[in-house]
Amino acid sequence: MGIQTMMVIGAGQMGSGIAQVAATAGFRVILNDIQDEFIQRGLKGIQKNLTRDVEKGRKTEQEKAEILARIEPSTDLQAAAQTDFVIEAIIENLDKKAEIFRQLDAICPPQTILASNTSSLPITEIAAVTNRPEKVIGMHFMNPVPVMKLIEVIRGLATSDETYQIVEDLSKKMQKIPVEVNDFPGFISNRVLMPMINEAIYCVYEGVAKPEAIDQIMKLGMNHPMGPLTLADFIGLDTCLYIMEVLHEGFGDSKYRPCPLLRKYVKAGWLGKKSGRGFFRYES
Ligand SMILES: CC(=O)CC(=O)SCCNC(=O)CCNC(=O)[C@H](O)C(C)(C)COP(=O)(O)OP(=O)(O)OC[C@H]1O[C@@H](n2cnc3c(N)ncnc32)[C@H](O)[C@@H]1OP(=O)(O)O
Ligand SMILES: NC(=O)C1=CN([C@@H]2O[C@H](COP(=O)(O)OP(=O)(O)OC[C@H]3O[C@@H](n4cnc5c(N)ncnc54)[C@H](OP(=O)(O)O)[C@@H]3O)[C@@H](O)[C@H]2O)C=CC1
């Protein structure tokens, strides 16, 4: 199956990054969100990244213009009827994702593959709301999408070999490296990463050290490019909390309990970099 047109649903930090790499790989991309304002914000980010590529001599002005011209904004989910492939990147909420997949199943032609960029939610359950579970798969990009090489590809219980192969080929076409995992809460990436971040938050909560010190220890001592609290702010504290809740509920093990300080920050609207404040402060 030759993929020509894809839809990316959710123009937040992940969706806009995915649209950028897909358009750069030559695909026509319909970038969908509930409000045009969010799409315009996503497009602005893509434009900024491409301008930096031009300034650094990695792309020409013409290539930049061609990539941007391949991205079409749309607030109408019905536009998915024209697509061969859909990647959903809305907020990390099972009911909201299931609702989108239910609608997509009714809108899209039967051959269209429906992928989710979920960080932790069960692909098998998302697939089960559709009449095409063999064509539903997890395609988990890492943040920042234009930079990070990995795509964690998650096979739901019913995902077919053909669907897996198409996603593996597509990932390579987007200059990424796909790695296959099975469908368990948090998959591999966030089952390993998020408890470390949660533990770093417990260290703040218990007054073991200041956020700056915790990050410095992990950067200088473990060679992490970002400390865990800066990384949590970068991912989004709401997303971190949702993922911890999925791990906690999915495994029923208290070792995954989200730190109360994480809950408090999210309730206060301190979502990290995207809201201007999390463990650290950011200028918009
Ligand atoms: C939650 C989940 O479900 C899964 C996840 O995604 S978990 C998060 C996974 N991501 C990480 O762990 C990221 C950890 N951090 C890093 O790797 C690095 O800090 C970083 C790549 C983000 C930035 O690197 P840095 O060396 O500190 O900064 P900087 O020199 O500004 O950037 C390095 C390059 O990345 C690019 N870059 C940085 N941030 C970017 C962004 N948001 N978008 C696009 N490009 C970006 C820069 O342009 C620069 O490119 P060139 O050198 O080619 O010009
Ligand atoms: N942040 C990260 O580091 C990573 C996140 N992910 C996953 O990617 C997904 C998106 O995360 P991220 O980009 O960070 O989140 P953001 O909050 O940046 O973006 C989510 C976007 O989806 C929009 N949205 C919400 N509901 C709908 C809907 N029904 N239809 C269309 N658009 C909708 C939101 O609009 P509004 O603002 O109005 O809600 C927002 O623009 C999540 O599943 C997350 O777990 C995966 C890898 C890494």
Side-chain angles (χ1 to χ4, degrees), residues 181-217:
V181 304
N182 287 322
D183 188 18
F184 279 87
F187 321 126
I188 296 296
S189 54
N190 282 317
R191 183 170 175 176
V192 175
L193 173 70
M194 222 30 91
M196 181 194 70
I197 288 178
N198 196 45
E199 205 57 34
I201 300 171
Y202 264 108
C203 290
V204 181
Y205 181 61
E206 292 169 8
V208 185
K210 293 228 152 49
E212 291 79 1
I214 294 165
D215 271 11
Q216 214 175 9
I217 285 165

PDB file of all heavy atoms in Angstrom, residues 181-217:
ATOM      1  N   VAL A 181       7.528  -3.265  20.293  1.00  0.00           N
ATOM      2  CA  VAL A 181       7.217  -3.725  21.658  1.00  0.00           C
ATOM      3  C   VAL A 181       5.769  -4.216  21.697  1.00  0.00           C
ATOM      4  O   VAL A 181       4.971  -3.886  20.826  1.00  0.00           O
ATOM      5  CB  VAL A 181       7.410  -2.617  22.732  1.00  0.00           C
ATOM      6  CG1 VAL A 181       8.799  -2.035  22.702  1.00  0.00           C
ATOM      7  CG2 VAL A 181       6.387  -1.508  22.605  1.00  0.00           C
ATOM      8  N   ASN A 182       5.462  -4.992  22.722  1.00  0.00           N
ATOM      9  CA  ASN A 182       4.084  -5.451  22.901  1.00  0.00           C
ATOM     10  C   ASN A 182       3.315  -4.472  23.786  1.00  0.00           C
ATOM     11  O   ASN A 182       3.886  -3.584  24.397  1.00  0.00           O
ATOM     12  CB  ASN A 182       4.072  -6.870  23.477  1.00  0.00           C
ATOM     13  CG  ASN A 182       4.497  -7.867  22.417  1.00  0.00           C
ATOM     14  OD1 ASN A 182       4.138  -7.728  21.235  1.00  0.00           O
ATOM     15  ND2 ASN A 182       5.289  -8.841  22.808  1.00  0.00           N
ATOM     16  N   ASP A 183       2.009  -4.708  23.838  1.00  0.00           N
ATOM     17  CA  ASP A 183       1.103  -3.752  24.465  1.00  0.00           C
ATOM     18  C   ASP A 183       0.957  -4.000  25.970  1.00  0.00           C
ATOM     19  O   ASP A 183       0.177  -4.849  26.387  1.00  0.00           O
ATOM     20  CB  ASP A 183      -0.264  -3.871  23.755  1.00  0.00           C
ATOM     21  CG  ASP A 183      -1.241  -2.801  24.162  1.00  0.00           C
ATOM     22  OD1 ASP A 183      -0.801  -1.774  24.711  1.00  0.00           O
ATOM     23  OD2 ASP A 183      -2.453  -2.988  23.916  1.00  0.00           O
ATOM     24  N   PHE A 184       1.745  -3.296  26.766  1.00  0.00           N
ATOM     25  CA  PHE A 184       1.627  -3.313  28.228  1.00  0.00           C
ATOM     26  C   PHE A 184       1.679  -1.867  28.701  1.00  0.00           C
ATOM     27  O   PHE A 184       2.279  -1.030  28.016  1.00  0.00           O
ATOM     28  CB  PHE A 184       2.767  -4.122  28.863  1.00  0.00           C
ATOM     29  CG  PHE A 184       2.505  -5.602  28.832  1.00  0.00           C
ATOM     30  CD1 PHE A 184       2.868  -6.361  27.730  1.00  0.00           C
ATOM     31  CD2 PHE A 184       1.858  -6.215  29.895  1.00  0.00           C
ATOM     32  CE1 PHE A 184       2.590  -7.720  27.687  1.00  0.00           C
ATOM     33  CE2 PHE A 184       1.582  -7.575  29.858  1.00  0.00           C
ATOM     34  CZ  PHE A 184       1.953  -8.327  28.752  1.00  0.00           C
ATOM     35  N   PRO A 185       1.101  -1.558  29.860  1.00  0.00           N
ATOM     36  CA  PRO A 185       1.042  -0.152  30.291  1.00  0.00           C
ATOM     37  C   PRO A 185       2.402   0.548  30.232  1.00  0.00           C
ATOM     38  O   PRO A 185       3.395   0.028  30.763  1.00  0.00           O
ATOM     39  CB  PRO A 185       0.539  -0.262  31.735  1.00  0.00           C
ATOM     40  CG  PRO A 185      -0.260  -1.533  31.747  1.00  0.00           C
ATOM     41  CD  PRO A 185       0.447  -2.471  30.807  1.00  0.00           C
ATOM     42  N   GLY A 186       2.425   1.706  29.587  1.00  0.00           N
ATOM     43  CA  GLY A 186       3.663   2.495  29.489  1.00  0.00           C
ATOM     44  C   GLY A 186       4.680   1.920  28.513  1.00  0.00           C
ATOM     45  O   GLY A 186       5.758   2.490  28.350  1.00  0.00           O
ATOM     46  N   PHE A 187       4.330   0.767  27.893  1.00  0.00           N
ATOM     47  CA  PHE A 187       5.228   0.098  26.922  1.00  0.00           C
ATOM     48  C   PHE A 187       6.605  -0.099  27.570  1.00  0.00           C
ATOM     49  O   PHE A 187       6.664  -0.548  28.713  1.00  0.00           O
ATOM     50  CB  PHE A 187       5.273   0.878  25.604  1.00  0.00           C
ATOM     51  CG  PHE A 187       3.919   1.428  25.214  1.00  0.00           C
ATOM     52  CD1 PHE A 187       3.717   2.784  24.931  1.00  0.00           C
ATOM     53  CD2 PHE A 187       2.804   0.587  25.183  1.00  0.00           C
ATOM     54  CE1 PHE A 187       2.453   3.274  24.619  1.00  0.00           C
ATOM     55  CE2 PHE A 187       1.535   1.069  24.871  1.00  0.00           C
ATOM     56  CZ  PHE A 187       1.361   2.411  24.588  1.00  0.00           C
ATOM     57  N   ILE A 188       7.690   0.256  26.882  1.00  0.00           N
ATOM     58  CA  ILE A 188       9.012   0.187  27.521  1.00  0.00           C
ATOM     59  C   ILE A 188       9.447   1.589  27.944  1.00  0.00           C
ATOM     60  O   ILE A 188       9.823   1.824  29.096  1.00  0.00           O
ATOM     61  CB  ILE A 188      10.080  -0.419  26.580  1.00  0.00           C
ATOM     62  CG1 ILE A 188       9.744  -1.880  26.255  1.00  0.00           C
ATOM     63  CG2 ILE A 188      11.480  -0.309  27.217  1.00  0.00           C
ATOM     64  CD1 ILE A 188       9.764  -2.824  27.435  1.00  0.00           C
ATOM     65  N   SER A 189       9.360   2.545  27.003  1.00  0.00           N
ATOM     66  CA  SER A 189       9.955   3.870  27.251  1.00  0.00           C
ATOM     67  C   SER A 189       9.457   4.486  28.551  1.00  0.00           C
ATOM     68  O   SER A 189      10.245   4.852  29.419  1.00  0.00           O
ATOM     69  CB  SER A 189       9.680   4.797  26.064  1.00  0.00           C
ATOM     70  OG  SER A 189       8.293   4.837  25.812  1.00  0.00           O
ATOM     71  N   ASN A 190       8.142   4.563  28.696  1.00  0.00           N
ATOM     72  CA  ASN A 190       7.627   5.271  29.880  1.00  0.00           C
ATOM     73  C   ASN A 190       7.514   4.399  31.119  1.00  0.00           C
ATOM     74  O   ASN A 190       7.431   4.917  32.232  1.00  0.00           O
ATOM     75  CB  ASN A 190       6.303   5.946  29.546  1.00  0.00           C
ATOM     76  CG  ASN A 190       6.560   7.219  28.766  1.00  0.00           C
ATOM     77  OD1 ASN A 190       7.465   7.980  29.117  1.00  0.00           O
ATOM     78  ND2 ASN A 190       5.812   7.437  27.701  1.00  0.00           N
ATOM     79  N   ARG A 191       7.561   3.073  30.937  1.00  0.00           N
ATOM     80  CA  ARG A 191       7.604   2.193  32.116  1.00  0.00           C
ATOM     81  C   ARG A 191       8.959   2.358  32.821  1.00  0.00           C
ATOM     82  O   ARG A 191       9.062   2.230  34.041  1.00  0.00           O
ATOM     83  CB  ARG A 191       7.408   0.745  31.671  1.00  0.00           C
ATOM     84  CG  ARG A 191       7.353  -0.225  32.808  1.00  0.00           C
ATOM     85  CD  ARG A 191       6.912  -1.572  32.318  1.00  0.00           C
ATOM     86  NE  ARG A 191       6.949  -2.558  33.358  1.00  0.00           N
ATOM     87  CZ  ARG A 191       6.529  -3.802  33.198  1.00  0.00           C
ATOM     88  NH1 ARG A 191       6.036  -4.198  32.038  1.00  0.00           N
ATOM     89  NH2 ARG A 191       6.605  -4.661  34.186  1.00  0.00           N
ATOM     90  N   VAL A 192       9.980   2.672  32.021  1.00  0.00           N
ATOM     91  CA  VAL A 192      11.312   2.835  32.597  1.00  0.00           C
ATOM     92  C   VAL A 192      11.570   4.306  32.968  1.00  0.00           C
ATOM     93  O   VAL A 192      12.073   4.603  34.043  1.00  0.00           O
ATOM     94  CB  VAL A 192      12.385   2.306  31.603  1.00  0.00           C
ATOM     95  CG1 VAL A 192      13.788   2.571  32.126  1.00  0.00           C
ATOM     96  CG2 VAL A 192      12.176   0.815  31.347  1.00  0.00           C
ATOM     97  N   LEU A 193      11.176   5.224  32.071  1.00  0.00           N
ATOM     98  CA  LEU A 193      11.489   6.649  32.289  1.00  0.00           C
ATOM     99  C   LEU A 193      10.654   7.282  33.402  1.00  0.00           C
ATOM    100  O   LEU A 193      11.177   8.008  34.257  1.00  0.00           O
ATOM    101  CB  LEU A 193      11.259   7.429  30.977  1.00  0.00           C
ATOM    102  CG  LEU A 193      11.390   8.947  31.089  1.00  0.00           C
ATOM    103  CD1 LEU A 193      12.837   9.351  31.327  1.00  0.00           C
ATOM    104  CD2 LEU A 193      10.858   9.636  29.825  1.00  0.00           C
ATOM    105  N   MET A 194       9.334   7.029  33.372  1.00  0.00           N
ATOM    106  CA  MET A 194       8.443   7.830  34.226  1.00  0.00           C
ATOM    107  C   MET A 194       8.626   7.555  35.722  1.00  0.00           C
ATOM    108  O   MET A 194       8.575   8.502  36.522  1.00  0.00           O
ATOM    109  CB  MET A 194       6.998   7.614  33.780  1.00  0.00           C
ATOM    110  CG  MET A 194       6.143   8.822  33.725  1.00  0.00           C
ATOM    111  SD  MET A 194       6.916  10.416  33.370  1.00  0.00           S
ATOM    112  CE  MET A 194       6.811  10.514  31.594  1.00  0.00           C
ATOM    113  N   PRO A 195       8.866   6.299  36.149  1.00  0.00           N
ATOM    114  CA  PRO A 195       9.146   6.099  37.583  1.00  0.00           C
ATOM    115  C   PRO A 195      10.392   6.865  38.039  1.00  0.00           C
ATOM    116  O   PRO A 195      10.457   7.326  39.180  1.00  0.00           O
ATOM    117  CB  PRO A 195       9.343   4.583  37.700  1.00  0.00           C
ATOM    118  CG  PRO A 195       8.504   4.028  36.587  1.00  0.00           C
ATOM    119  CD  PRO A 195       8.703   5.014  35.456  1.00  0.00           C
ATOM    120  N   MET A 196      11.370   7.044  37.144  1.00  0.00           N
ATOM    121  CA  MET A 196      12.559   7.839  37.517  1.00  0.00           C
ATOM    122  C   MET A 196      12.153   9.305  37.735  1.00  0.00           C
ATOM    123  O   MET A 196      12.540   9.932  38.722  1.00  0.00           O
ATOM    124  CB  MET A 196      13.641   7.747  36.436  1.00  0.00           C
ATOM    125  CG  MET A 196      14.874   8.532  36.826  1.00  0.00           C
ATOM    126  SD  MET A 196      16.022   8.817  35.489  1.00  0.00           S
ATOM    127  CE  MET A 196      15.128   9.974  34.476  1.00  0.00           C
ATOM    128  N   ILE A 197      11.357   9.828  36.812  1.00  0.00           N
ATOM    129  CA  ILE A 197      10.890  11.215  36.948  1.00  0.00           C
ATOM    130  C   ILE A 197      10.054  11.361  38.222  1.00  0.00           C
ATOM    131  O   ILE A 197      10.230  12.295  39.009  1.00  0.00           O
ATOM    132  CB  ILE A 197      10.087  11.629  35.687  1.00  0.00           C
ATOM    133  CG1 ILE A 197      11.054  11.814  34.512  1.00  0.00           C
ATOM    134  CG2 ILE A 197       9.233  12.871  35.937  1.00  0.00           C
ATOM    135  CD1 ILE A 197      10.409  12.186  33.197  1.00  0.00           C
ATOM    136  N   ASN A 198       9.145  10.405  38.460  1.00  0.00           N
ATOM    137  CA  ASN A 198       8.280  10.452  39.654  1.00  0.00           C
ATOM    138  C   ASN A 198       9.119  10.422  40.929  1.00  0.00           C
ATOM    139  O   ASN A 198       8.828  11.119  41.899  1.00  0.00           O
ATOM    140  CB  ASN A 198       7.329   9.249  39.597  1.00  0.00           C
ATOM    141  CG  ASN A 198       6.135   9.379  40.533  1.00  0.00           C
ATOM    142  OD1 ASN A 198       5.503  10.432  40.604  1.00  0.00           O
ATOM    143  ND2 ASN A 198       5.845   8.313  41.256  1.00  0.00           N
ATOM    144  N   GLU A 199      10.192   9.631  40.917  1.00  0.00           N
ATOM    145  CA  GLU A 199      11.077   9.530  42.087  1.00  0.00           C
ATOM    146  C   GLU A 199      11.812  10.854  42.314  1.00  0.00           C
ATOM    147  O   GLU A 199      11.999  11.281  43.461  1.00  0.00           O
ATOM    148  CB  GLU A 199      12.072   8.379  41.870  1.00  0.00           C
ATOM    149  CG  GLU A 199      12.628   7.772  43.139  1.00  0.00           C
ATOM    150  CD  GLU A 199      11.561   7.245  44.110  1.00  0.00           C
ATOM    151  OE1 GLU A 199      10.524   6.745  43.653  1.00  0.00           O
ATOM    152  OE2 GLU A 199      11.777   7.363  45.326  1.00  0.00           O
ATOM    153  N   ALA A 200      12.197  11.500  41.197  1.00  0.00           N
ATOM    154  CA  ALA A 200      12.852  12.807  41.325  1.00  0.00           C
ATOM    155  C   ALA A 200      11.874  13.809  41.961  1.00  0.00           C
ATOM    156  O   ALA A 200      12.269  14.641  42.782  1.00  0.00           O
ATOM    157  CB  ALA A 200      13.314  13.296  39.955  1.00  0.00           C
ATOM    158  N   ILE A 201      10.591  13.703  41.605  1.00  0.00           N
ATOM    159  CA  ILE A 201       9.579  14.608  42.171  1.00  0.00           C
ATOM    160  C   ILE A 201       9.395  14.299  43.670  1.00  0.00           C
ATOM    161  O   ILE A 201       9.272  15.205  44.497  1.00  0.00           O
ATOM    162  CB  ILE A 201       8.247  14.515  41.386  1.00  0.00           C
ATOM    163  CG1 ILE A 201       8.477  14.903  39.917  1.00  0.00           C
ATOM    164  CG2 ILE A 201       7.170  15.409  42.023  1.00  0.00           C
ATOM    165  CD1 ILE A 201       7.305  14.655  38.975  1.00  0.00           C
ATOM    166  N   TYR A 202       9.421  13.013  44.035  1.00  0.00           N
ATOM    167  CA  TYR A 202       9.373  12.647  45.462  1.00  0.00           C
ATOM    168  C   TYR A 202      10.550  13.258  46.224  1.00  0.00           C
ATOM    169  O   TYR A 202      10.412  13.647  47.385  1.00  0.00           O
ATOM    170  CB  TYR A 202       9.388  11.122  45.637  1.00  0.00           C
ATOM    171  CG  TYR A 202       7.990  10.539  45.786  1.00  0.00           C
ATOM    172  CD1 TYR A 202       7.415   9.797  44.769  1.00  0.00           C
ATOM    173  CD2 TYR A 202       7.251  10.738  46.957  1.00  0.00           C
ATOM    174  CE1 TYR A 202       6.135   9.270  44.899  1.00  0.00           C
ATOM    175  CE2 TYR A 202       5.972  10.224  47.092  1.00  0.00           C
ATOM    176  CZ  TYR A 202       5.416   9.489  46.066  1.00  0.00           C
ATOM    177  OH  TYR A 202       4.144   8.990  46.201  1.00  0.00           O
ATOM    178  N   CYS A 203      11.707  13.336  45.561  1.00  0.00           N
ATOM    179  CA  CYS A 203      12.885  13.918  46.232  1.00  0.00           C
ATOM    180  C   CYS A 203      12.653  15.400  46.541  1.00  0.00           C
ATOM    181  O   CYS A 203      13.077  15.895  47.589  1.00  0.00           O
ATOM    182  CB  CYS A 203      14.144  13.738  45.372  1.00  0.00           C
ATOM    183  SG  CYS A 203      14.670  12.032  45.287  1.00  0.00           S
ATOM    184  N   VAL A 204      11.955  16.100  45.642  1.00  0.00           N
ATOM    185  CA  VAL A 204      11.598  17.510  45.918  1.00  0.00           C
ATOM    186  C   VAL A 204      10.584  17.540  47.059  1.00  0.00           C
ATOM    187  O   VAL A 204      10.732  18.284  48.037  1.00  0.00           O
ATOM    188  CB  VAL A 204      10.970  18.187  44.666  1.00  0.00           C
ATOM    189  CG1 VAL A 204      10.620  19.654  44.963  1.00  0.00           C
ATOM    190  CG2 VAL A 204      11.882  18.086  43.460  1.00  0.00           C
ATOM    191  N   TYR A 205       9.564  16.687  46.956  1.00  0.00           N
ATOM    192  CA  TYR A 205       8.448  16.622  47.921  1.00  0.00           C
ATOM    193  C   TYR A 205       8.965  16.362  49.329  1.00  0.00           C
ATOM    194  O   TYR A 205       8.482  16.932  50.308  1.00  0.00           O
ATOM    195  CB  TYR A 205       7.536  15.498  47.443  1.00  0.00           C
ATOM    196  CG  TYR A 205       6.289  15.228  48.230  1.00  0.00           C
ATOM    197  CD1 TYR A 205       5.306  16.196  48.388  1.00  0.00           C
ATOM    198  CD2 TYR A 205       6.062  13.954  48.770  1.00  0.00           C
ATOM    199  CE1 TYR A 205       4.141  15.921  49.071  1.00  0.00           C
ATOM    200  CE2 TYR A 205       4.896  13.668  49.452  1.00  0.00           C
ATOM    201  CZ  TYR A 205       3.939  14.652  49.604  1.00  0.00           C
ATOM    202  OH  TYR A 205       2.772  14.375  50.274  1.00  0.00           O
ATOM    203  N   GLU A 206       9.954  15.473  49.432  1.00  0.00           N
ATOM    204  CA  GLU A 206      10.486  15.106  50.752  1.00  0.00           C
ATOM    205  C   GLU A 206      11.616  16.025  51.208  1.00  0.00           C
ATOM    206  O   GLU A 206      12.218  15.809  52.260  1.00  0.00           O
ATOM    207  CB  GLU A 206      10.968  13.642  50.723  1.00  0.00           C
ATOM    208  CG  GLU A 206       9.801  12.660  50.566  1.00  0.00           C
ATOM    209  CD  GLU A 206      10.258  11.228  50.262  1.00  0.00           C
ATOM    210  OE1 GLU A 206      11.475  10.952  50.319  1.00  0.00           O
ATOM    211  OE2 GLU A 206       9.380  10.401  49.965  1.00  0.00           O
ATOM    212  N   GLY A 207      11.938  17.021  50.366  1.00  0.00           N
ATOM    213  CA  GLY A 207      12.966  17.989  50.758  1.00  0.00           C
ATOM    214  C   GLY A 207      14.381  17.421  50.760  1.00  0.00           C
ATOM    215  O   GLY A 207      15.259  17.923  51.465  1.00  0.00           O
ATOM    216  N   VAL A 208      14.610  16.386  49.956  1.00  0.00           N
ATOM    217  CA  VAL A 208      15.960  15.782  49.918  1.00  0.00           C
ATOM    218  C   VAL A 208      16.953  16.754  49.273  1.00  0.00           C
ATOM    219  O   VAL A 208      18.106  16.848  49.695  1.00  0.00           O
ATOM    220  CB  VAL A 208      15.948  14.436  49.152  1.00  0.00           C
ATOM    221  CG1 VAL A 208      17.320  13.768  49.219  1.00  0.00           C
ATOM    222  CG2 VAL A 208      14.882  13.499  49.696  1.00  0.00           C
ATOM    223  N   ALA A 209      16.502  17.439  48.244  1.00  0.00           N
ATOM    224  CA  ALA A 209      17.364  18.442  47.591  1.00  0.00           C
ATOM    225  C   ALA A 209      16.491  19.384  46.776  1.00  0.00           C
ATOM    226  O   ALA A 209      15.323  19.105  46.509  1.00  0.00           O
ATOM    227  CB  ALA A 209      18.391  17.756  46.686  1.00  0.00           C
ATOM    228  N   LYS A 210      17.085  20.495  46.364  1.00  0.00           N
ATOM    229  CA  LYS A 210      16.365  21.474  45.524  1.00  0.00           C
ATOM    230  C   LYS A 210      16.290  20.913  44.093  1.00  0.00           C
ATOM    231  O   LYS A 210      17.174  20.152  43.674  1.00  0.00           O
ATOM    232  CB  LYS A 210      17.142  22.788  45.499  1.00  0.00           C
ATOM    233  CG  LYS A 210      17.180  23.485  46.851  1.00  0.00           C
ATOM    234  CD  LYS A 210      16.809  24.958  46.677  1.00  0.00           C
ATOM    235  CE  LYS A 210      16.183  25.568  47.891  1.00  0.00           C
ATOM    236  NZ  LYS A 210      16.880  25.348  49.150  1.00  0.00           N
ATOM    237  N   PRO A 211      15.254  21.335  43.311  1.00  0.00           N
ATOM    238  CA  PRO A 211      15.129  20.849  41.931  1.00  0.00           C
ATOM    239  C   PRO A 211      16.427  21.013  41.119  1.00  0.00           C
ATOM    240  O   PRO A 211      16.828  20.100  40.397  1.00  0.00           O
ATOM    241  CB  PRO A 211      13.998  21.709  41.361  1.00  0.00           C
ATOM    242  CG  PRO A 211      13.167  22.057  42.543  1.00  0.00           C
ATOM    243  CD  PRO A 211      14.116  22.197  43.702  1.00  0.00           C
ATOM    244  N   GLU A 212      17.078  22.170  41.273  1.00  0.00           N
ATOM    245  CA  GLU A 212      18.318  22.421  40.507  1.00  0.00           C
ATOM    246  C   GLU A 212      19.369  21.363  40.845  1.00  0.00           C
ATOM    247  O   GLU A 212      20.081  20.861  39.964  1.00  0.00           O
ATOM    248  CB  GLU A 212      18.903  23.802  40.830  1.00  0.00           C
ATOM    249  CG  GLU A 212      18.099  24.986  40.331  1.00  0.00           C
ATOM    250  CD  GLU A 212      16.887  25.318  41.224  1.00  0.00           C
ATOM    251  OE1 GLU A 212      16.681  24.644  42.254  1.00  0.00           O
ATOM    252  OE2 GLU A 212      16.143  26.254  40.864  1.00  0.00           O
ATOM    253  N   ALA A 213      19.469  21.024  42.140  1.00  0.00           N
ATOM    254  CA  ALA A 213      20.486  20.060  42.575  1.00  0.00           C
ATOM    255  C   ALA A 213      20.167  18.659  42.035  1.00  0.00           C
ATOM    256  O   ALA A 213      21.061  17.937  41.578  1.00  0.00           O
ATOM    257  CB  ALA A 213      20.550  20.040  44.102  1.00  0.00           C
ATOM    258  N   ILE A 214      18.903  18.304  42.073  1.00  0.00           N
ATOM    259  CA  ILE A 214      18.498  16.961  41.586  1.00  0.00           C
ATOM    260  C   ILE A 214      18.855  16.833  40.097  1.00  0.00           C
ATOM    261  O   ILE A 214      19.450  15.841  39.661  1.00  0.00           O
ATOM    262  CB  ILE A 214      16.983  16.742  41.816  1.00  0.00           C
ATOM    263  CG1 ILE A 214      16.695  16.703  43.325  1.00  0.00           C
ATOM    264  CG2 ILE A 214      16.494  15.470  41.129  1.00  0.00           C
ATOM    265  CD1 ILE A 214      15.245  16.844  43.712  1.00  0.00           C
ATOM    266  N   ASP A 215      18.531  17.871  39.335  1.00  0.00           N
ATOM    267  CA  ASP A 215      18.835  17.831  37.898  1.00  0.00           C
ATOM    268  C   ASP A 215      20.338  17.790  37.650  1.00  0.00           C
ATOM    269  O   ASP A 215      20.821  17.067  36.775  1.00  0.00           O
ATOM    270  CB  ASP A 215      18.209  19.038  37.188  1.00  0.00           C
ATOM    271  CG  ASP A 215      16.789  18.731  36.730  1.00  0.00           C
ATOM    272  OD1 ASP A 215      16.250  17.686  37.159  1.00  0.00           O
ATOM    273  OD2 ASP A 215      16.211  19.524  35.961  1.00  0.00           O
ATOM    274  N   GLN A 216      21.072  18.580  38.443  1.00  0.00           N
ATOM    275  CA  GLN A 216      22.522  18.625  38.250  1.00  0.00           C
ATOM    276  C   GLN A 216      23.148  17.253  38.524  1.00  0.00           C
ATOM    277  O   GLN A 216      24.040  16.805  37.797  1.00  0.00           O
ATOM    278  CB  GLN A 216      23.116  19.660  39.205  1.00  0.00           C
ATOM    279  CG  GLN A 216      24.293  20.369  38.602  1.00  0.00           C
ATOM    280  CD  GLN A 216      24.794  21.475  39.501  1.00  0.00           C
ATOM    281  OE1 GLN A 216      24.362  21.605  40.642  1.00  0.00           O
ATOM    282  NE2 GLN A 216      25.719  22.257  38.997  1.00  0.00           N
ATOM    283  N   ILE A 217      22.634  16.593  39.529  1.00  0.00           N
ATOM    284  CA  ILE A 217      23.162  15.263  39.882  1.00  0.00           C
ATOM    285  C   ILE A 217      22.970  14.284  38.726  1.00  0.00           C
ATOM    286  O   ILE A 217      23.887  13.552  38.345  1.00  0.00           O
ATOM    287  CB  ILE A 217      22.487  14.760  41.186  1.00  0.00           C
ATOM    288  CG1 ILE A 217      23.098  15.521  42.361  1.00  0.00           C
ATOM    289  CG2 ILE A 217      22.653  13.250  41.364  1.00  0.00           C
ATOM    290  CD1 ILE A 217      22.343  15.425  43.665  1.00  0.00           C
TER     291      ILE A 217
END
